[in-house]
Amino acid sequence: SLEDVRKELLRGNTFHLYIIGSEECENSIAYSAVNTKKDKWMGYLQEALGESYMKIRSQTLQAINLILFAHESVATLISDVQSAAVPCGLGNTLGNKGGVSISFKFCDTTFLFTNAHLTAHQDRATERNDDYARIDKEMPRILRAKCKSSKEKRRPSMMIADYLETLDDESTEEKDQEESTSSKVVRKRSIHEE
């Protein structure tokens, strides 16, 4: 019941952020290939959390879903929101297996959350590890491509763990460059004015 979910899982006004990953929450994998909408599921989560939470971003890959909710008191502190999906199903094209990610900056800290549905069964550990490796390799590349229009510059290749560290390092470098650039501009103006 909704009350049980509120009491046990989604205690509204307890945390500023809720990042909820699910698989086959509204439709089967087969039906999700045709209809990826998760409106009922998102509505249910919104109702469970209450009006003081807002959906910031969701990412879906067939039946795999990840949603970021933020309390209204901190929603304006979230920036640079990106999301992406990496399919690992048949020929690395179907989304019955794979991962979805949401990356964002909260104040000056960058976060990356990934939800994955990997190959099942103990005798398929190699395929499951291959799924993980593909997601780990491709997700940062896809997120970088989505960020190209922004000021952020990234190394050509990196793993997910490096992605977060790089974003934090670049943020610090950008601030230093902005301060350096603004002081150069002031110096240039003062030279030209003399």
Side-chain angles (χ1 to χ4, degrees):
S1 79
L2 190 58
E3 282 308 310
D4 289 336
V5 169
R6 284 182 178 146
K7 193 167 97 178
E8 299 297 322
L9 297 175
L10 302 176
R11 290 176 247 144
N13 294 318
T14 302
F15 303 104
H16 290 116
L17 302 174
Y18 283 91
I19 298 87
I20 303 162
S22 61
E23 172 202 331
E24 299 181 57
C25 61
E26 189 170 324
N27 300 314
S28 68
I29 290 174
Y31 186 72
S32 292
V34 178
N35 181 3
T36 60
K37 288 187 178 182
K38 305 286 183 258
D39 295 338
K40 288 180 192 172
W41 175 239
M42 286 188 228
Y44 181 81
L45 293 173
Q46 183 69 66
E47 188 177 349
L49 287 169
E51 292 179 6
S52 58
Y53 286 87
M54 55 193 342
K55 182 185 89 168
I56 303 297
R57 177 71 61 100
S58 69
Q59 180 68 45
T60 299
L61 175 66
Q62 206 163 324
I64 307 164
N65 188 251
L66 188 63
I67 308 170
L68 165 63
F69 286 97
H71 191 273
E72 62 189 2
S73 65
V74 298
T76 58
L77 302 174
I78 296 173
S79 62
D80 300 338
V81 181
Q82 297 291 333
S83 63
V86 175
C88 295
L90 185 64
N92 290 328
T93 57
L94 291 181
N96 61 318
K97 305 289 186 231
V100 293
S101 292
I102 297 176
S103 169
F104 61 95
K105 194 179 259 187
F106 184 80
C107 296
D108 287 331
T109 303
T110 303
F111 294 90
L112 174 66
F113 290 89
T114 300
N115 181 33
H117 181 196
L118 308 175
T119 302
H121 308 296
Q122 288 185 346
D123 63 333
R124 303 200 48 204
T126 301
E127 287 132 314
R128 188 167 38 259
N129 290 338
D130 290 346
D131 291 350
Y132 170 80
R134 175 173 161 69
I135 295 165
D136 192 44
K137 178 183 176 191
E138 293 297 319
M139 194 65 73
R141 182 188 63 77
I142 294 168
L143 290 169
R144 276 195 308 275
K146 288 186 171 196
C147 287
K148 282 209 176 198
S149 62
S150 72
K151 295 178 185 177
E152 297 176 359
K153 296 176 184 168
R154 312 228 191 282
R155 290 181 283 173
S157 66
M158 67 181 86
M159 300 298 209
I160 288 176
D162 295 333
Y163 174 78
L164 295 176
E165 184 177 315
T166 301
L167 287 180
D168 286 337
D169 290 346
E170 289 173 356
S171 177
T172 302
E173 287 174 17
E174 283 179 13
K175 287 179 186 172
D176 293 344
Q177 283 179 339
E178 286 174 9
E179 289 174 9
S180 172
T181 303
S182 63
S183 65
K184 286 179 186 174
V185 170
V186 169
R187 278 191 229 122
K188 283 183 180 178
R189 283 186 188 150
S190 61
I191 290 170
H192 292 293
E193 289 176 357
E194 288 179 354

